[in-house]
Amino acid sequence: MSKLIDFKKILKQTNPDVKPFQIMDEKGDIVNDAFMPDLSDDQLIQMMEVMVWGREYNNRVSILSRQGVLGNLPPTEGQEASQLISQYALEKGDWLLPSYRDVPPMIRHGVKTRQAINWYNGHTDGFSYDKSVKSFPPQVIIGAQIIQAAGVGLGLKLDGQKHVALTYIGDGGTSQGDFYEGLNFAGVYDAPVIFVAQNNGYGISVPRSFQTRSKTLSQKGIGVGIAHLFVDGMDPFAVYVATKSAREYAVSGQGPVLLEFLTFRFGPHTLSDDPRRYREHEEVEQWRSKDQLVRMRKFLERKGLWTQEHEDVIKEKTQHEVKEALDASRNVEKQTVSGYLESMFEVMPQTIKEQFEFYKAKEGQ
Ligand SMILES: Cc1ncc(C[n+]2csc(CCOP(=O)(O)OP(=O)(O)O)c2C)c(N)n1
């Protein structure tokens, strides 16, 4: 027999350990000056404000969920840079296709906080956005938003619009078939799509290491020939530059980009789950030292651009925003089954029509 091919060697070469793209380290120091974005003081402050807003928003809605006021809630603590700075890097007219965990970036993208609150409770008001809001409702089916984003991206291209579709998916979601299909389709048609894989460590209780043999999730872009980058997802500057660059690349007609943001989910999967059953306290603590809010605060404080008083004002405003949104959500007409069925199709299929008529009659009694 002739000499055997050394697959182990090939695998090592094609599946290498890579360091994430980083601009600011855990101490708040700039370690990659060449890529430091040219941001004004106001923009730097805005970036911190939006992340403080995100953390406080999560705190408030988590409390409301624990009190039984809101339905099941997927917490976002730890993913502020990954979700909110990527959204911050978009331009007006760009589309967002979120997953169930990406409610905060949707609000920044124009969805009303009242509607977000109604979404947690399954009210159709939580899905019925104004036409000017370029966001899909959160996708609960794992991976389905990837296919939809490929379609939206292709639509933008055919329309000649200089905009992108940005979609988020979790690390677990990258194991789903839809993920590969969407990436491949967008690649073939050079669709302007930014696929953001938020690697937050766990898919419910399943660690990232159980999901794939790939050293990174971003390198899955190689298989379909699209641009990709492994990014420190708790470094706001790295997230900003990666998203801005991907946007420019996609809008100029060069095709989609897959970004992996390495981050961590500090909280449970949803508030009905107990992460102490599947991970050690030490792991969580290790990630705390990488927290985006801590590094950005250090960076800004050194420049004299941030104070505790300023942070407290943002938190108070956020609490007020959530309270007002909750009050407004209570004033929206009560959800009925017939109203729900009516919201599904422009032209109702016969089976839905029958159910609609049945419930309408029942509700009228
Ligand atoms: C097609 C499909 N299969 C299974 C589920 C159940 N499910 C809900 S969340 C989840 C884990 C997703 O983990 P990941 O993609 O890492 O996202 P994260 O929750 O960490 O943001 C699963 C399997 C689902 N919603 N859809």
Side-chain angles (χ1 to χ4, degrees), residues 114 221 256 338:
R114 179 205 79 224
S338 65

Side-chain angles (χ1 to χ4, degrees), residues 58-78:
N58 177 62
N59 289 343
R60 303 316 294 173
V61 287
S62 297
I63 291 168
L64 292 175
S65 177
R66 287 213 164 89
Q67 290 173 341
V69 177
L70 298 189
N72 210 11
L73 190 108
T76 49
E77 187 189 11

Side-chain angles (χ1 to χ4, degrees), residues 129-306:
Y129 313 144
D130 189 271
K131 281 232 158 40
S132 63
V133 180
K134 307 286 183 219
S135 176
F136 274 46
Q139 181 58 266
V140 180
I141 304 166
I142 307 289
Q145 73 276 27
I146 298 292
I147 307 260
Q148 292 169 342
V152 172
L154 181 56
L156 289 170
K157 183 181 163 173
L158 295 177
D159 257 8
Q161 289 191 40
K162 291 284 171 214
H163 286 295
V164 286
L166 183 146
T167 185
Y168 299 104
I169 189 162
D171 41 290
T174 64
S175 301
Q176 196 80 349
D178 284 8
F179 176 73
Y180 301 95
E181 291 171 26
L183 251 58
N184 192 57
F185 185 91
V188 166
Y189 290 99
D190 287 331
V193 185
I194 305 175
F195 297 102
V196 171
Q198 297 191 79
N199 178 359
N200 68 4
Y202 290 85
I204 312 186
S205 58
V206 181
R208 147 73 179 85
S209 57
F210 283 24
Q211 292 286 347
T212 175
R213 289 279 177 266
S214 252
K215 289 279 168 68
T216 66
L217 303 174
S218 49
Q219 67 174 280
K220 288 171 184 259
I222 297 173
V224 290
I226 69 166
H228 54 96
L229 189 68
F230 181 42
V231 181
D232 179 346
M234 287 202 179
D235 171 354
F237 297 134
V239 169
Y240 180 82
V241 171
T243 312
K244 270 263 174 250
S245 308
R247 187 187 183 282
E248 201 133 298
Y249 178 88
V251 164
S252 68
Q254 298 180 82
V257 181
L258 170 62
L259 300 174
E260 174 182 0
F261 292 154
L262 184 62
T263 178
F264 195 74
R265 190 190 79 209
F266 287 129
H269 169 68
T270 63
L271 292 189
S272 50
D273 146 271
D274 179 3
R276 288 173 302 183
R277 297 184 67 173
Y278 55 79
R279 70 187 186 196
E280 300 294 332
H281 179 67
E282 290 72 49
E283 187 189 355
V284 183
E285 284 313 299
Q286 268 177 13
W287 279 96
R288 286 259 174 224
S289 66
K290 299 179 201 287
D291 189 352
Q292 49 255 281
L293 263 74
V294 176
R295 354 181 155 174
M296 192 68 174
R297 193 178 290 124
K298 282 181 186 159
F299 175 84
L300 291 180
E301 277 175 353
R302 259 181 249 143
K303 283 177 152 291
L305 293 176
W306 195 255

Side-chain angles (χ1 to χ4, degrees), residues 49 52 84 94 109 112 143-144 180 186 200 218 254 261 344 351:
E49 283 181 349
V52 170
L84 299 167
D94 291 343
H109 211 68
K112 290 193 166 66
Y180 301 95
N200 68 4
S218 49
Q254 298 180 82
F261 292 154
M344 291 164 70
T351 48

